[in-house]
Amino acid sequence: MIQHTMIVSFNDSVPDAELDRFLKDIEQLMRGSGTIRTFAAQRHIRVPADDHSPVFAATAVVQFGFADLDALNASFAAPGAEALIRRWQARFPYKVVWVNHEPLS
């Protein structure tokens, strides 16, 4: 199993309902692609130190579980992924950083 963990940071505040929709859109797209085994997403828990982050403070974390490297690679070409990214970037610009790794526990 390979985990793909994404840290998402919106440039500006996003209403709760919109963040929920963003996370649901990602989940539906990836589940529909047939490439993932697991999906989890959580909001970032903000603390005062976030104001001093050297890169950016997260808005949410999203984690996908893949059977293998081939499934992970295939996920980057999931039908509709580019359109989803363009649509959300146009509405609420954001940055993403990710790490691919073995399960942590």
Side-chain angles (χ1 to χ4, degrees):
M1 173 86 77
I2 296 175
Q3 300 293 318
H4 176 76
T5 302
M6 295 182 359
I7 308 295
V8 180
S9 177
F10 284 89
N11 295 355
D12 297 309
S13 180
V14 176
D16 287 343
E18 294 295 326
L19 181 55
D20 290 344
R21 181 77 253 160
F22 172 77
L23 296 172
K24 185 51 91 179
D25 284 356
I26 292 172
E27 180 178 11
Q28 289 174 336
L29 176 91
M30 294 308 294
R31 286 196 188 279
S33 76
T35 61
I36 65 171
R37 284 193 168 175
T38 62
F39 174 88
Q42 291 292 328
R43 295 168 184 271
H44 170 67
I45 299 170
R46 187 143 177 81
V47 297
D50 289 347
D51 294 336
H52 308 289
S53 174
V55 179
F56 57 72
T59 305
V61 61
V62 178
Q63 189 171 75
F64 306 101
F66 295 93
D68 53 33
L69 194 54
D70 289 338
L72 171 60
N73 284 325
S75 75
F76 286 97
E82 276 189 50
L84 184 142
I85 292 167
R86 276 195 307 271
R87 184 173 72 247
W88 279 99
Q89 285 285 6
R91 295 182 64 212
F92 299 102
Y94 62 91
K95 298 178 221 47
V96 175
V97 63
W98 64 73
V99 59
N100 303 313
H101 56 92
E102 296 290 333
L104 298 176
S105 58

